[in-house]
Amino acid sequence: MEEIEHIHILLVEDNPLDAELTMYGLRNTIANTITWVKDGQEALDYLFRQGEYQDLDAAMPGLILLDLKMPRVDGTEVLLQVKADSRTRRIPVVVMTSSREESDILRSYDLGANSYVVKPVDFDGISDVAKQAGFYWMVVNRHLQR
Amino acid sequence: MRLRYGLSSIRYKLLLTLLASNLCTLLVAAAVLIYNDLQEYRLNLSSELNTQAEILGQASIAALEFNDPKVAQENLALLKIKPGIIAAGLYTATGTLFAGYSRQHSQPHRFPPLPGLDGIQIADKEMWLYKRVVNQQEILGTVYLRAHYDLQQRLQHNLGILAGVGLLSLLASLLISTWLQTYVSKPITSVSDTALQVVSRRDFSLRAHKSTDDEIGYLVDAFNEMLAEIGRRTEAIEASQQALEHEVAERRETQLALQHSERRNRSLLTAMSVTIWISDKLGGFATEQPAWADYTGQSLAEYQGLGWRSAFHPDDQGHLDRAWARAISQPASFELAARLWHAGSSRHRHITLRTAPLFDQAGELVEWIGGISDTDDRYAAEQAVVQLNAELEQRVAERTAELETANKELESFSYSVSHDLRAPVRAIGGFAALLNQHQGAQLNAEGQRLLGIVRSEATRMGYLIDDLLAFSRLGRQAMQMKPVDMMALVQSTYSHLQNQHQGPPVQFRLGNLPDTLGDMSLLRQVWVNLLSNALKFSSKQAQPTIEVGAISDDEKHTYYVRDNGTGFDPAYKQKLFGVFQRLHDAADYPGTGVGLALAQRIINRHNGTIWADSTPGEGATFYFTLPRSH
C-alpha cells in the first residue's frame, strides 16, 4: 500500500463564493492543503516568492486550480508565466472558469494548461465538478513529488 | 414537210427541171425533125411528081405524037396505083387537054383549062405540077399532075407522136425524179428537218445525218460543223450572259448597299451631336469647317491651317502636337481627350477627338476625317460619380467602424453578462446544494420543497443565461462552411445525449443522411436541440421512438427528426420558434424556450428553412432544409 499522499493545492479564484464551493468540493478526496489567493498577482507572488510571499518557505503546490477572469492580473497571464518558468512549469494547472468560449479554451491549452474545466451552473454545481477534477488530478494523475 | 412546200419543193423542182430539160430537148428535136420531115414530105412529093410527070411525059410522047389519047389515058390510069394522086392530065402543045385521069370517078377533077408554066404549085392541101413534055427539043405537051399534099395532117400526125413521146418522157421523168430525190432532196430535207428541230428545241447537240458523199454530204458536214460551232458559241454566250447577269445583280446590290450606307451615314451625321473634323494630311484645315467654327467661335482666318491649335486649352496643346506628329508619321486612326474652347459656354470643355486617315486608291494619305464629341457633361458626371463614390466609401467606412465598435461592445457586453451573471447563479445553486447537504435533513418537507425550488430555479437561470449567450453569440460569429458528415454528426450527438438521458430506452432509427456544406459546430447545436427535444418529449411514452432521416431533391436536402411523443398543438406552430416561447408546461417538460429559436437562427444563416408538424398525442416531426451546393 502506498503512502497516503498529501497534496498542496493552490486555488487562484477571485470570487469568494466560487472559492468556497470549490474548496468544499475538494475536501475528503484526499488529504490536502489548499492555499487560496484572490487574484493573479497574488498567485504569481506566491509562486515566485515575491512581494508579500517572498519569505515563504514552503514547497511548490502540487496542483494549481486557476480561474481565468480576475482583476489586476488575470489567469491567462498567470498561466503564461507559470508555464514559462522552469520552477513552476511542471505543476499541473487546471483552468477552472465560467467561460465556455472557444477562444479561451484554445488559448489556455496553447499556453500549456493541463486541463480546462467549466464551472457549471446546474444542480450540483462547482462542488461536484471540483470533486471530480480533484479526484483525478490528485489521485489518478501522477504528479511530481515535492 | 414535202407537202408544205407543195409545188415549190425541191422534188418538184427536180421534176420540173427534168421535165423542162426533157421537154426542151424534145421540142427542139421535135421541131427540127418535124420541120425536116415536112420539108422532106414536100420535096419528096414534088420530086416524085416530077419523076412521075417525067415518066409519064416520056411514056406519052408516042401518044402525043400519034395523037392517041387512049394510050395516054391508059398511061395516066396507071397512076391509080398511087392513092395520093388526085388527078393527072396531059395537055397538048397547044394547051388543050389531051387525056385526063381522076382518081375519084364519082367526082372527076376539074382540069385547069390551060397548063400553067412548068413548076410546082401548092394550094388547098394539094400540090400540082406542070411539066412540059420535051422530045428532041420539041415541046409536045404538058403533063399535069395533082396530088394530095396535106401538110397539116402530117404536122398533126407528127405532133401526135410528139405528144406520145412527151407523155412517156414525163413518166420517165417522174420515175427518175423519185429515184433522184433519194440522192438529192432527201438528204436536203433531212438537213432542213434537223435545222428546224434545232431551232424549235434549241438543242444544238442534234446532228444531221450524212447519207451521201457529194455536195449535199458536204453541206451536211458543214451544217453539222455549224451546229457544233453554234452550240459552243451558245454555251459560251449563255455562260457569259449568266456571268454578266450575276455581275449586274452584284453591281445593283452593291449600289443599293452603297446608297443605303450613304443614307445611313448621312442621317448618322445629322443625328450625331458631333462636330465634324476634316483636315488635310498634315492635320491642317484646308477647307471650311462650319461645325468647328460653330463650336469654337473661331473664324476661317483663325482656324485655317494649324490655327485650330489655339482653340485648345494651352496645357493640352503639347500632347495634341505630339499625337498629331505621331499620327502623321505613321497614319493610323487615333483618339485623344483634350479641352476645347466652346464659344457657347465661354469656357474650355472636355472633348474627345477621334480621327481616321483616308487613303486614296493608290494607298496615299489624302486627308484626316473624324469628329469631336463633347464629353464635358460626361466628364462632369464622372467627376460627380467619383466624388460620390469617395463620399460613399467614406460613409461606408465610418458606418463599418461604427458597426464594428457596436459589435465589439455587444460582444464584450454579452461576454461580461454571461460571466458576471453566471457567478451569482453558480453561488445560489452551489450554496443551496451545500445547505441541502449540511442542513437538509433538518428541514421539514416544506422546507425541503422550498430549498428544492431555489436550487432548480438557479439551475434554470443558468441554462437561460447559457442559451441567451449562445443565441446572441450566433449573430456575431462568422460561419465556417465546410463539408459536414451529417450521419457522423447525428450519431455522435445522439450518443452523447443518450448517455445523459434518463428514461425508458429509446428506439432510435437513423436513415441515410447526405453530407452537406455548413458550420459543423452550429449544425451540431441544431441537432442537439432537435434530438434533445425529441428525447424529452417522447420520454413519457412507453416505447419512445425517434427517427432521423433525409429527403433530397435537386436544390436542397430536407432533414427531419420524428418522435412519437406528446407532440404539440399545430395551431401554435408559428410560435414554436420564438425566443422563450414554450408550448408546454415547464413542470412537464423543462426547457428555456430558446433552443428552437437558436436552431431557426442557425438554419436561416445557412439559407435553409425550418418548420415542424405534429398530431397532438402522436408525436412531432421537425424538418429543416439545407441548400445543396453546386
Side-chain angles (χ1 to χ4, degrees):
Chain A
M1 189 176 162
E2 285 189 20
E3 215 180 281
I4 292 176
E5 306 234 21
H6 183 102
I7 189 164
H8 179 206
I9 301 172
L10 176 65
L11 172 63
V12 188
E13 171 63 63
D14 66 319
N15 185 329
L17 298 179
D18 282 346
E20 187 179 333
L21 290 171
T22 306
M23 287 191 280
Y24 182 79
L26 286 174
R27 83 200 190 298
N28 295 335
T29 309
I30 191 174
N32 57 67
T33 313
I34 300 176
T35 305
W36 171 38
V37 292
K38 294 198 195 69
D39 63 48
Q41 189 56 59
E42 265 199 70
L44 289 172
D45 289 345
Y46 183 89
L47 285 169
F48 298 120
R49 307 292 183 254
Q50 56 201 31
E52 60 185 277
Y53 294 99
Q54 46 189 68
D55 301 320
L56 189 67
D57 181 32
M60 278 291 165
L63 176 68
I64 301 176
L65 297 177
L66 180 61
D67 185 18
L68 282 183
K69 301 296 170 200
M70 291 184 292
R72 289 209 288 167
V73 179
D74 72 4
T76 315
E77 183 62 31
V78 173
L79 181 58
L80 185 73
Q81 292 206 26
V82 161
K83 288 300 176 183
D85 194 302
S86 54
R87 294 171 286 176
T88 53
R89 197 163 49 208
R90 295 190 183 109
I91 307 174
V93 177
V94 174
V95 171
M96 278 191 66
T97 177
S98 61
S99 167
R100 241 185 225 104
E101 295 283 327
E102 188 91 359
S103 52
D104 287 332
I105 306 176
L106 282 173
R107 201 174 45 227
S108 305
Y109 276 119
D110 278 343
L111 293 172
N114 298 79
S115 172
Y116 190 100
V117 173
V118 174
K119 295 182 206 166
V121 290
D122 59 7
F123 258 113
D124 296 311
I126 304 177
S127 310
D128 204 43
V129 163
K131 184 169 168 179
Q132 290 183 43
F135 181 77
Y136 173 78
W137 283 103
M138 290 188 285
V139 178
V140 178
N141 187 45
R142 288 210 68 85
H143 52 85
L144 294 176
Q145 304 294 346
R146 292 288 161 185
Chain B
M1 198 40 201
R2 285 173 218 143
L3 291 174
R4 211 172 119 213
Y5 288 105
L7 288 171
S8 63
S9 87
I10 289 193
R11 186 173 175 226
Y12 283 102
K13 280 203 177 95
L14 276 178
L15 189 67
L16 282 172
T17 314
L18 222 52
L19 280 178
S21 63
N22 262 358
L23 214 62
C24 270
T25 321
L26 211 61
L27 282 173
V28 165
V32 167
L33 281 172
I34 289 175
Y35 177 73
N36 200 38
D37 183 65
L38 290 176
Q39 284 289 89
E40 285 272 337
Y41 176 52
R42 187 175 63 83
L43 283 170
N44 273 354
L45 191 63
S46 62
S47 144
E48 210 185 289
L49 283 179
N50 241 333
T51 312
Q52 285 168 350
E54 188 68 45
I55 296 174
L56 262 178
Q58 295 299 316
S60 302
I61 291 174
L64 275 171
E65 271 187 355
F66 300 112
N67 210 12
D68 194 352
K70 215 170 114 193
V71 170
Q73 188 86 27
E74 279 170 19
N75 282 348
L76 291 178
L78 285 170
L79 284 176
K80 72 170 179 209
I81 301 169
K82 282 233 102 142
I85 306 279
I86 301 171
L90 196 60
Y91 289 86
T92 61
T94 53
T96 51
L97 188 63
F98 190 63
Y101 153 76
S102 292
R103 186 162 178 88
Q104 263 186 305
H105 294 297
S106 51
Q107 208 174 348
H109 181 66
R110 272 174 48 240
F111 289 92
L114 284 173
L117 291 171
D118 270 5
I120 303 261
Q121 283 174 48
I122 303 171
D124 292 334
K125 299 190 185 176
E126 286 173 1
M127 180 189 277
W128 63 89
L129 160 79
Y130 292 109
K131 189 144 179 100
R132 295 282 178 276
V133 178
V134 175
N135 186 27
Q136 291 166 4
Q137 281 144 14
E138 195 189 331
I139 301 175
L140 296 174
T142 313
V143 176
Y144 167 76
L145 277 176
R146 201 176 184 98
H148 280 300
Y149 179 65
D150 202 341
L151 205 64
Q152 204 170 351
Q153 193 191 41
R154 201 167 173 93
L155 185 66
Q156 282 176 352
H157 188 70
N158 277 338
L159 289 177
I161 295 174
L162 180 65
V165 169
L167 225 65
L168 280 173
S169 99
L170 181 73
L171 246 73
S173 298
L174 273 166
L175 286 171
I176 293 176
S177 89
T178 313
W179 175 72
L180 255 185
Q181 73 111 358
T182 323
Y183 280 94
V184 177
S185 66
K186 219 190 195 155
I188 291 184
T189 352
S190 114
V191 169
S192 51
D193 274 344
T194 313
L196 205 72
Q197 274 183 36
V198 164
V199 167
S200 65
R201 300 214 297 231
R202 302 211 104 246
D203 183 358
F204 296 106
S205 62
L206 293 174
R207 293 288 178 268
H209 174 65
K210 178 176 170 180
S211 54
T212 57
D213 207 1
D214 53 8
E215 284 88 346
I216 294 191
Y218 184 75
L219 172 69
V220 169
D221 282 340
F223 180 70
N224 287 341
E225 186 63 42
M226 186 182 67
L227 281 180
E229 184 65 27
I230 289 179
R232 283 194 290 274
R233 289 273 178 86
T234 313
E235 270 176 36
I237 285 178
E238 268 175 17
S240 92
Q241 183 170 9
Q242 270 183 15
L244 203 72
E245 274 176 8
H246 189 70
E247 223 184 271
V248 166
E250 261 186 47
R251 183 84 51 87
R252 204 173 297 138
E253 259 183 53
T254 315
Q255 196 161 7
L256 281 172
L258 211 71
Q259 280 176 354
H260 179 73
S261 158
E262 205 201 314
R263 266 200 302 273
R264 189 144 55 90
N265 282 343
R266 220 177 278 267
S267 14
L268 208 69
L269 273 177
T270 39
M272 285 198 302
S273 55
V274 167
T275 306
I276 308 300
W277 169 291
I278 302 178
S279 68
D280 63 24
K281 58 184 173 199
L282 294 173
F285 284 150
T287 54
E288 246 190 78
Q289 306 281 323
W292 176 270
D294 271 344
Y295 192 93
T296 60
Q298 279 186 324
S299 67
L300 175 63
E302 286 172 328
Y303 67 65
Q304 72 182 8
L306 291 173
W308 51 262
R309 283 180 69 253
S310 48
F312 282 96
H313 195 281
D315 294 344
D316 293 335
Q317 286 177 10
H319 92 259
L320 262 173
D321 291 338
R322 280 194 293 279
W324 271 108
R326 247 197 321 271
I328 290 171
S329 65
Q330 279 219 334
S333 49
F334 68 95
E335 74 173 59
L336 44 76
R339 285 160 290 178
L340 181 63
W341 182 262
H342 183 231
S345 9
S346 298
R347 64 175 174 90
H348 285 97
R349 290 174 73 93
H350 284 87
I351 55 103
T352 305
L353 165 65
R354 279 188 200 86
T355 180
L358 194 67
F359 299 98
D360 66 12
Q361 276 184 328
E364 291 289 309
L365 175 63
V366 174
E367 58 184 9
W368 294 85
I369 50 174
I372 293 187
S373 46
D374 188 311
T375 59
D376 197 83
D377 295 333
R378 184 151 56 87
Y379 180 81
E382 280 173 7
Q383 295 300 96
V385 165
V386 164
Q387 172 136 18
L388 271 170
N389 269 355
E391 279 175 24
L392 202 71
E393 290 219 10
Q394 192 183 3
R395 245 184 278 155
V396 164
E398 281 171 15
R399 199 55 62 80
T400 313
E402 281 173 21
L403 277 171
E404 275 179 6
T405 354
N407 238 16
K408 279 215 170 57
E409 285 173 6
L410 201 67
E411 194 170 328
S412 65
F413 173 73
S414 32
Y415 189 78
S416 56
V417 157
S418 82
H419 182 262
D420 295 344
L421 273 181
R422 278 215 195 99
V425 166
R426 261 202 312 278
I428 295 171
F431 282 98
L434 269 182
L435 181 61
N436 190 41
Q437 279 199 0
H438 290 250
Q439 315 279 347
Q442 291 166 352
L443 286 172
N444 61 3
E446 179 63 9
Q448 282 186 353
R449 186 186 72 89
L450 294 172
L451 190 57
I453 291 170
V454 170
R455 290 181 70 196
S456 66
E457 286 306 294
T459 308
R460 199 164 80 83
M461 185 144 96
Y463 288 151
L464 267 167
I465 293 171
D466 281 348
D467 284 348
L468 255 170
L469 194 68
F471 187 76
S472 80
R473 191 190 304 133
L474 184 64
R476 293 179 282 111
Q477 248 173 18
M479 294 211 299
Q480 290 183 320
M481 302 292 275
K482 285 189 192 131
V484 172
D485 181 349
M486 281 302 237
M487 284 204 69
L489 183 59
V490 169
Q491 270 164 346
S492 71
T493 310
Y494 183 74
S495 53
H496 183 73
L497 287 173
Q498 197 186 34
N499 285 339
Q500 294 183 338
H501 179 71
Q502 289 146 346
V506 176
Q507 191 181 22
F508 182 67
R509 279 206 290 272
L510 177 60
N512 197 18
L513 301 181
D515 291 352
T516 187
L517 206 65
D519 185 313
M520 179 137 124
S521 64
L522 293 179
L523 287 176
R524 181 186 286 115
Q525 287 185 47
V526 173
W527 285 116
V528 163
N529 262 302
L530 296 180
L531 289 172
S532 59
N533 274 351
L535 279 168
K536 182 161 53 178
F537 286 98
S538 66
S539 59
K540 295 221 167 114
Q541 302 294 96
Q543 275 191 318
T545 315
I546 297 179
E547 188 188 326
V548 176
I551 308 163
S552 304
D553 64 33
D554 283 338
E555 293 174 344
K556 59 190 188 302
H557 297 301
T558 308
Y559 301 88
Y560 62 86
V561 177
R562 182 173 294 133
D563 67 77
N564 66 344
T566 188
F568 59 86
D569 188 345
Y572 294 107
K573 67 173 163 193
Q574 309 301 71
K575 287 188 156 191
L576 260 181
F577 297 95
V579 182
F580 291 139
Q581 292 289 345
R582 301 208 70 227
L583 299 183
H584 296 87
D585 244 331
D588 298 331
Y589 300 102
T592 56
V594 181
L596 284 178
L598 193 67
Q600 184 183 52
R601 220 162 175 225
I602 294 174
I603 295 298
N604 283 349
R605 285 194 79 193
H606 280 80
N607 293 319
T609 48
I610 183 167
W611 73 98
D613 227 337
S614 167
T615 314
E618 287 175 33
T621 310
F622 281 76
Y623 305 87
F624 66 90
T625 65
L626 290 172
R628 290 180 80 149
S629 55
H630 293 282

